[in-house]
Amino acid sequence: MKHIHFLIGLILVIFMAGCQGTAVRVDSLKVEMQENPQGVSTSTPRFSWQITSVKPDLRQEAYQIQVAGSEQDLEKGNNLLWDSGIVADAESILIPYTGETLSPREVYYWRVKVTTNQGETAWSKINHWSMALPDIAGWQAKWIGENALSNPGETDKGNTRLAARYLRKPFDSKQKVKRAVLYISGQGAYQAYINGKRVSDDVLAPTVSWYPEKVYYNVYDVTSLIQRDSNLLGVKLGNGRYFGMRESPTQVFGLPRLLAQLEIEYSDGSTDVIVSDESWKVTSRGPIIANNEFDGEEYDARMELPGWDKISYDDTTWKQVDIMSAPGGTLTAQPNPNIRVQEELTPVAITKLTDGKFILDMGQNMVGWIKINRLNGKKDQPVTMRFAEMLNPDGTLYMANLRSAKVTDIYTPSKDGDFSWEPSFVFHGFRFVEISGLDYQPELSDFTGRVIYDQMETTGQFETSDETINQIFKNAYWGIRGNYRGMPTDCPQRDERQGWLGDRATGCFGEAFVFDNALLYSKWLQDIEDSQSPEGSISVVSPRYWTIFNDDVTWPAAYFYGAKMLWLQFGDTEPVKRHYPSMKRYLERIQQVSMQDYILTKDTYGDWCMPPESQELIHSKDPSRKTAGAVLSTTVYYSLLNLMTEFAQLTGNTKDIAGYQELASKIKEAYNARFFNTDSALYDNNTVTANILSLRLGLVPEGYEQKVFDNIVRKTEVDFNGHVSTGVLGIQHLMRGLTEQGNVDLAYRIVTNRTYPSWGYMIENGATTIWELWNGDTADPAMNSANHVMLLGDLLIWFYEDLAGIKNHPESTAYKKLLMEPKFPEGLSHVKASYKSVYGEIKSEWKKENGTFHWNITIPGNSSAIIRLPKELNVSTPTGKGIRNVTETENSIEIELGSGNYHLTGI
Ligand code: RAM
C-alpha cells in the first residue's frame, strides 16, 4: 500500500438496514458470561448486555438492572431483590450484582433497561439464572460406586483397564412437580438418565480438575423428565482422568465414583431429595467392558442391560453400591460449559486394503469419535475401529506417532444384523479410521464423525485473497477446537493429551478471536493455581496429571499471560484478582531458586521445536541455532514483572509496584551487561528468538532498537532465506515484531511460504491442522503430533490486529475502543474479518482493486474506533453521522468513529 498513492475520497454510507423507526434495543443478556446459566456459585453474579440501533454512534449513558425471585414480580416491579436504580455509567459488561443476599438453589430473574444518546430502550426480555448449592452444607449425598476390580483383565496398574459402572435408583414423585434439579458429579465422567432419557447433551462431563483440590459438579433442571409416581435415575460412570489412563506418569486417583442429589419441589410446596447413598444398586457387568481415553472403548452388545435406565428393569442381580471416599477437593459448581458434539462430518472416502480392512477418510484431522449409523454385523464377530492422523505410503494407518495409545474402539454384536453405536467415554484425534470385522464394503453414510469440544461460540471469521493464509486459518481453527477439552491440551491423539502451559502462553490471545474461550481459560487458570505446590512452584502441566515443577519461567508464563488475555479480550478482571497472590508467590519462589545476579538461570525446554538443521531430528543439536535458556527465562521473567505491575495497579496492590519495578530494572541491566553486544547490536549468539524477545519484551537499551531489529531481518532473510527460524518462544513475537518495526512484507513472506519451514509447508504436505514440528513429515515419530497449536505463536493475533485492523486501543479493553490500523503487505489485496466481541460484532473488510481501495467497517453499539491510515493516501476529510473526530498528523489521518457501518473508498 505504501507504494501506491491513493487519493482516498471517503464516502460514508450508513446502512439503514430494515430502517423501521429508530428503536434502540438491548439484548444478548448474559450472567457470568453465559445465557441463563444454572448453578452460579458467586454471590455477586455479573451482568452483561449489548445495545443496538439502526442509527450510528450509539452510546450507553445509563443503565438500570432489576432482579426478582419470579418473572411475575419482576414484570410488576414487586419484591425486587435488586433495583440498581438509574446508574449513570457507560459500562455494559460484567456489572456485579449488589442487591439482597442471594439464596443457594434459587432461580432469579433479571432485566435491564438502558439510556443512550439516542433515547431509552424498553425493558429487555427477562432472563434468569440459578444459584449453586451451598458448598458443604448443601450436600446430603454420599460418594458411591463399585469399589473393586471385578471383571477379568481389569487393572489399575500400567495401562489401566476397567469396565463402566451402571448405577440406578428408583424413586417416587408423589405430586405434580414444580421444579426438579439434579446436582451431579461423576468422576472421572458420567452420563445421567431419568426414565431412560439423557439429562443433557453434555459429553465427558464434568470438566477435568485437580481432584485433590477441586471437584466440579453440574447442575441440570430436569423438571420435564420427572413423571408422576415411579421414576428411575440411572447413571453410567466412566474412567475419565480420575481412574487415569496410565498408572504412571499419568495418575490413577481411584475407582470411579458418583455424587448425585436430585431435589424435587412439588406444586404444593413440599419437597423430596433423592441422593446417592447405600440404597443404590450398581453393576460393572454391562456392555462397556473397557473405556480408556488413550486406548479406546470396548462395547460388548452381548452384555447389554436392556432398559437398565427405566423403572421396569429387574436389578436383582445387581449389587448394593459401595460407599466411596470423597475425591478430596472442594466441591464446586462448574463455571465453564461442558464438552458437546459440536459438528458432524461425513467421511469423504472408503478404501479397501488387501487384507480386507477398510480405511475411512474423514477429509479432515478431527477430534471426537465415529458414530456407526448402520452396519450389518455378525453375532460374536467384533467390528474394530482404529484411528490415526496419517497413512503410510501403502495406505495403512500411520500409528508410530501415537506412542502407547491403542486408540481402538471395538463393538461386538450380540446377533446377526444391523446395529448402530457410538462410544460414551473416549475420543480420538484422527483423520483416518481403519475398520475390520466387516464382510462387506460399507457406505460413507454408515458413519458420522462426531466433532467434540467445549461448548462455546465461534466468534471469528477470517478470509483473505491469499489461499495459503486461508488454509492456515482453517487448520488453526480445527487444531484449536480439537484441543479444547475442559483444558487446552497439547494434542488429542497420542498417550499425552495434557494441559501443557507453554503451548498456550501467547496462543490463547489469538484463539480468543476465533472462539469465545473466556470461561475455559478462566477455569484453566484455576487448575493452574490448584496444581501449584505449597512452595509456589507451578506445574507446567495443569491440572497436574503429570506433576512437573521445573521452576522455569517460559511455560508458567501462560498463567500470567492467560489472565492478561481474559482482561484484555473479554474485560474480565476477576482472574487477575483471584490469582494475584499465587502469581506473586510463584515469582518469589523463582527468585529464590533460579535467580543469580539478576539472571534467571533455570530453563527446561529452550526455544522448543525450532526447525532443526537436519530434517529427521526433533530437536536441533546445533548450538548456533539454540537460544540460551537464561536468555529465555530472563526476558520472559522481566515481562512477568511488568505484567505484575499492571496487575498490582488493577488489584490495588500498589505497594508491590516499586519492588517489581526495581527488580525489573536490575534484571534489565544485568541481562544487557551479560548478553547484549553493543557493537553489533545483537543478543548472545544472535538467534532471531534472542533478539526478538529482547526487543518485544522491552529489554533493548534505548536507541538500539532499530539495530537489533535489523539483525533479526538480516538473519531471517539471509541465513534462513525468508523463513522462520524460531521455536515456540520466538514465534510468540515474530509476526507482530516484524510488523511493528515496519517490515510487514517480511512477515507476509513468512506466512505465505510453501517451503520448509513454514505453516504453508505443512499444508503442502497435506496438513489439515497445525503440526507439532516444522518438520512433522520427516521427523522421528517419538514426538510428532499432527495436531498441536503451539507453533501458531502470535499468528492469529497478527491476522486480526495487523491484517484486519481489529485491535484494542491502548487505553481500552474488550474492544470498547478500537485502534484500527490495518497493514497492507505487498501482494495481499483483500482481507475480510469479523469478531464477535463482548460489545457486539466487529467487522473489517478491505480490498484493493484496480487502483481503488475499499474498506467496510462495522463497530458495535456502545463502542468506538479510531481508524488510522497513512497520510500518503491523501484521505479527504470525511463528514457524516458517526464521525466523531478527524485529526491529521504529519504522517497519518485519524478518524474517530462511533458505532455503525461505514464504507470508505479511496481512488
Ligand atoms: C511435549 C508436549 C507439549 C510441550 C512439552 C514441553 O511433550 O506435547 O507440546 O509443551 O512437550
Side-chain angles (χ1 to χ4, degrees):
M1 175 94 163
K2 61 181 173 213
H3 309 292
I4 310 164
H5 284 258
F6 284 110
L7 174 68
I8 294 198
L10 191 130
I11 304 161
L12 171 75
V13 179
I14 302 153
F15 299 109
M16 304 283 279
C19 173
Q20 316 109 336
T22 53
V24 188
R25 289 171 47 87
V26 55
D27 50 26
S28 295
L29 271 57
K30 296 209 171 151
V31 175
E32 286 298 311
M33 304 172 116
Q34 295 188 74
E35 215 183 312
N36 301 328
Q38 302 192 48
V40 169
S41 57
T42 165
S43 54
T44 54
R46 294 167 301 165
F47 303 96
S48 308
W49 56 86
Q50 293 178 0
I51 54 173
T52 53
S53 161
V54 291
K55 288 206 230 152
D57 201 14
L58 178 66
R59 283 179 258 191
Q60 179 179 302
E61 289 171 350
Y63 66 79
Q64 182 176 11
I65 302 172
Q66 290 183 339
V67 175
S70 78
E71 228 169 318
Q72 294 75 4
D73 275 352
L74 188 55
E75 256 160 19
K76 294 197 189 107
N78 291 340
N79 303 318
L80 295 180
L81 299 164
W82 187 39
D83 184 344
S84 68
I86 297 172
V87 182
D89 188 4
E91 197 46 88
S92 51
I93 60 163
L94 300 168
I95 306 292
Y97 176 84
T98 56
E100 282 173 38
T101 306
L102 299 167
S103 305
R105 303 181 167 89
E106 289 307 311
V107 182
Y108 294 103
Y109 299 83
W110 73 288
R111 61 181 183 176
V112 59
K113 186 183 197 172
V114 166
T115 310
T116 73
N117 59 336
Q118 299 178 14
E120 251 187 42
T121 69
W123 280 110
S124 67
K125 71 170 182 170
I126 292 176
N127 268 22
H128 55 88
W129 81 93
S130 73
M131 296 296 286
L133 287 178
D135 279 357
I136 299 171
W139 287 96
Q140 301 164 42
K142 297 173 181 169
W143 287 93
I144 59 173
E146 178 177 344
N147 204 7
L149 301 166
S150 37
N151 296 297
E154 291 189 341
T155 177
D156 55 6
K157 302 280 176 294
N159 296 7
T160 63
R161 184 182 170 88
L162 192 75
R165 275 90 173 100
Y166 296 77
L167 299 99
R168 61 193 308 277
K169 166 75 183 177
F171 65 94
D172 286 339
S173 154
K174 304 170 284 255
Q175 311 258 347
K176 193 170 177 296
V177 176
K178 185 173 162 218
R179 180 176 175 233
V181 181
L182 179 64
Y183 302 89
I184 181 168
S185 182
Q187 297 298 351
Y190 70 88
Q191 284 186 357
Y193 302 77
I194 292 177
N195 301 319
K197 294 210 180 81
R198 290 277 304 274
V199 305
S200 99
D201 291 332
D202 294 347
V203 298
L204 302 165
T207 203
V208 292
S209 61
W210 179 242
Y211 309 112
E213 277 300 317
K214 194 95 62 263
V215 176
Y216 289 110
Y217 68 89
N218 299 130
V219 182
Y220 298 110
D221 188 313
V222 293
T223 313
S224 64
L225 297 179
I226 312 277
Q227 59 202 25
R228 197 65 189 256
D229 301 325
S230 311
N231 290 271
L232 193 280
L233 172 56
V235 180
K236 254 161 49 178
L237 267 188
N239 302 341
R241 294 286 171 116
Y242 193 76
F243 185 79
M245 301 79 85
R246 298 288 182 265
E247 173 208 7
S248 168
T250 311
Q251 212 158 318
V252 174
F253 296 88
L255 289 158
R257 57 204 64 197
L258 168 72
L259 186 77
Q261 185 158 312
L262 173 60
E263 300 195 348
I264 306 179
E265 204 184 317
Y266 298 106
S267 343
D268 69 354
S270 62
T271 56
D272 252 338
V273 185
I274 290 92
V275 296
S276 51
D277 60 14
E278 39 284 274
S279 68
W280 287 52
K281 289 286 205 70
V282 66
T283 185
S284 59
R285 291 185 209 285
I288 301 178
I289 58 174
N291 67 97
N292 181 308
E293 197 184 302
F294 291 161
D295 298 330
E297 187 159 309
E298 294 175 34
Y299 188 94
D300 190 340
R302 297 165 301 188
M303 297 187 63
E304 270 171 0
L305 310 162
W308 72 274
D309 50 1
K310 304 213 177 83
I311 188 72
S312 50
Y313 181 79
D314 177 5
D315 65 10
T316 40
T317 59
W318 290 31
K319 299 193 277 194
Q320 185 189 346
V321 292
D322 297 314
I323 300 297
M324 313 287 279
S325 60
T330 315
L331 265 173
T332 307
Q334 189 175 312
N336 54 314
N338 273 313
I339 300 171
R340 286 210 176 170
V341 174
Q342 303 269 45
E343 190 178 334
E344 297 194 331
L345 292 187
T346 304
V348 295
I350 301 189
T351 339
K352 190 170 183 178
L353 298 176
T354 46
D355 58 4
K357 293 175 181 166
F358 297 98
I359 299 287
L360 275 188
D361 179 359
M362 303 308 293
Q364 171 63 50
N365 198 13
M366 58 163 275
V367 177
W369 57 77
I370 289 290
K371 175 169 170 255
I372 295 173
N373 300 320
R374 185 184 50 85
L375 281 181
N376 196 276
K378 281 232 171 82
K379 183 176 186 311
D380 303 333
Q381 182 174 306
V383 174
T384 301
M385 296 189 280
R386 297 197 305 155
F387 301 82
E389 297 179 302
M390 290 169 283
L391 294 180
N392 292 312
D394 66 357
T396 58
L397 294 186
Y398 176 78
M399 311 278 286
N401 68 338
L402 305 179
R403 306 203 292 228
S404 80
K406 295 200 186 86
V407 296
T408 307
D409 288 354
I410 305 174
Y411 179 93
T412 307
S414 57
K415 54 180 178 8
D416 292 351
D418 286 353
F419 69 90
S420 46
W421 176 75
E422 66 185 313
S424 300
F425 295 120
V426 298
F427 64 88
H428 309 281
F430 64 100
R431 171 171 170 179
F432 301 99
V433 190
E434 176 205 81
I435 301 162
S436 53
L438 283 183
D439 300 336
Y440 67 101
Q441 169 122 13
E443 287 169 23
L444 295 175
S445 60
D446 294 340
F447 307 95
T448 301
R450 305 264 262 170
V451 177
I452 62 146
Y453 59 99
D454 300 48
Q455 211 190 330
M456 62 176 73
E457 196 181 355
T458 299
T459 48
Q461 307 289 338
F462 188 84
E463 207 183 300
T464 70
S465 52
D466 184 85
E467 277 317 310
T468 301
I469 291 183
N470 296 347
Q471 187 64 42
I472 293 170
F473 182 80
K474 206 170 158 218
N475 290 9
Y477 168 76
W478 276 94
I480 292 162
R481 62 188 192 149
N483 278 299
Y484 281 164
R485 272 181 310 281
M487 57 180 162
T489 62
D490 61 335
C491 61
Q493 73 296 78
R494 67 180 179 220
D495 59 354
E496 189 157 0
R497 313 183 188 193
Q498 302 293 348
W500 279 96
L501 270 61
D503 299 36
R504 305 298 177 140
T506 295
C508 65
F509 279 92
E511 295 165 20
F513 282 104
V514 190
F515 295 101
D516 178 5
N517 60 13
L519 294 170
L520 170 73
Y521 271 97
S522 56
K523 180 264 171 185
W524 189 47
L525 296 190
Q526 190 58 47
D527 291 335
I528 297 172
E529 176 166 334
D530 289 345
S531 300
Q532 191 174 24
S533 80
E535 297 76 33
S537 302
I538 285 175
S539 174
V540 294
V541 167
S542 292
R544 57 180 169 96
Y545 303 130
W546 292 3
T547 298
I548 310 177
F549 294 126
N550 290 326
D551 285 334
D552 49 13
V553 182
T554 55
W555 261 237
Y559 187 34
F560 300 73
Y561 291 2
K564 176 73 195 264
M565 180 280 276
L566 293 166
W567 176 17
L568 205 60
Q569 199 77 9
F570 300 100
D572 188 1
T573 52
E574 253 339 282
V576 172
K577 292 178 189 154
R578 192 178 322 136
H579 299 292
Y580 184 87
S582 99
M583 290 174 171
K584 194 175 161 191
R585 247 182 328 129
Y586 163 77
L587 288 181
E588 287 165 2
R589 160 87 185 161
I590 295 306
Q591 274 177 58
Q592 285 159 20
V593 298
S594 170
M595 195 167 79
Q596 280 167 25
D597 302 327
Y598 299 105
I599 298 294
L600 282 298
T601 58
K602 283 182 178 241
D603 178 65
T604 317
Y605 304 111
D607 190 16
W608 191 247
C609 298
M610 77 187 95
E613 54 281 10
S614 116
Q615 288 209 28
E616 64 297 337
L617 287 177
I618 293 176
H619 298 301
S620 169
K621 294 180 177 150
D622 174 359
S624 76
R625 291 175 173 254
K626 292 194 197 176
T627 306
V631 166
L632 303 171
S633 293
T634 307
T635 52
V636 175
Y637 193 85
Y638 179 80
S639 78
L640 299 186
L641 289 170
N642 288 330
L643 262 188
M644 279 305 264
T645 301
E646 283 181 51
F647 292 175
Q649 201 79 52
L650 178 77
T651 56
N653 286 290
T654 40
K655 60 178 185 333
D656 295 343
I657 293 176
Y660 298 137
Q661 287 183 343
E662 199 187 313
L663 182 58
S665 82
K666 284 185 177 151
I667 285 177
K668 182 170 174 174
E669 202 182 313
Y671 174 75
N672 282 316
R674 166 97 170 263
F675 293 113
F676 190 50
N677 179 331
T678 38
D679 298 336
S680 44
L682 52 84
Y683 279 89
D684 201 35
N685 58 347
N686 193 27
T687 60
V688 167
T689 294
N691 290 323
I692 202 137
L693 288 179
S694 307
L695 186 60
R696 278 213 91 242
L697 300 178
L699 289 102
V700 176
E702 229 187 300
Y704 284 96
E705 293 89 348
Q706 188 59 44
K707 286 185 180 159
V708 172
F709 184 68
D710 291 343
N711 275 324
I712 295 170
V713 172
R714 197 173 314 120
K715 184 100 182 181
T716 304
E717 282 178 344
V718 179
D719 295 6
F720 293 94
N721 188 27
H723 287 76
V724 60
S725 62
T726 71
V728 173
L729 270 300
I731 202 73
Q732 293 177 34
H733 299 280
L734 187 66
M735 300 303 282
R736 288 174 298 171
L738 290 173
T739 304
E740 69 196 12
Q741 298 287 331
N743 203 336
V744 70
D745 288 331
L746 182 53
Y748 183 67
R749 182 172 167 198
I750 287 173
V751 75
T752 51
N753 276 333
R754 303 284 290 200
T755 47
Y756 176 79
S758 64
W759 300 289
Y761 176 77
M762 300 176 190
I763 294 166
E764 201 62 32
N765 286 281
T768 57
T769 38
I770 305 292
W771 293 345
E772 179 174 26
L773 304 174
W774 294 113
N775 52 333
D777 55 331
T778 50
D780 188 328
M783 199 195 87
N784 193 356
S785 128
N787 196 357
H788 255 61
V789 291
M790 61 191 184
L791 286 183
L792 284 171
D794 68 353
L795 182 65
L796 296 185
I797 310 175
W798 182 77
F799 281 172
Y800 278 91
E801 291 190 348
D802 289 323
L803 293 189
I806 298 178
K807 187 175 180 173
N808 259 314
H809 190 278
E811 292 158 12
S812 157
T813 59
Y815 304 89
K816 182 132 183 40
K817 183 172 180 183
L818 290 117
L819 175 58
M820 304 185 78
E821 193 183 5
K823 304 292 183 310
F824 307 102
E826 191 66 45
L828 192 65
S829 59
H830 179 210
V831 172
K832 182 180 182 188
S834 61
Y835 168 58
K836 290 181 186 158
S837 80
V838 287
Y839 291 96
E841 191 166 28
I842 302 161
K843 291 187 192 166
S844 167
E845 176 177 13
W846 62 260
K847 209 176 227 163
K848 294 197 285 181
E849 220 173 32
N850 311 322
T852 59
F853 170 71
H854 299 274
W855 192 11
N856 288 327
I857 301 172
T858 299
I859 308 296
N862 208 25
S863 51
S864 65
I866 290 186
I867 61 170
R868 187 185 285 161
L869 290 169
K871 192 66 167 295
E872 59 186 17
L873 303 178
N874 295 325
V875 175
S876 61
T877 310
T879 53
K881 288 183 181 150
I883 306 282
R884 292 186 185 170
N885 198 12
V886 180
T887 350
E888 298 198 21
T889 63
E890 200 189 323
N891 300 316
S892 61
I893 177 160
E894 287 190 359
I895 307 161
E896 189 180 349
L897 305 171
S899 65
N901 299 303
Y902 304 91
H903 181 190
L904 286 66
T905 307
I907 309 145

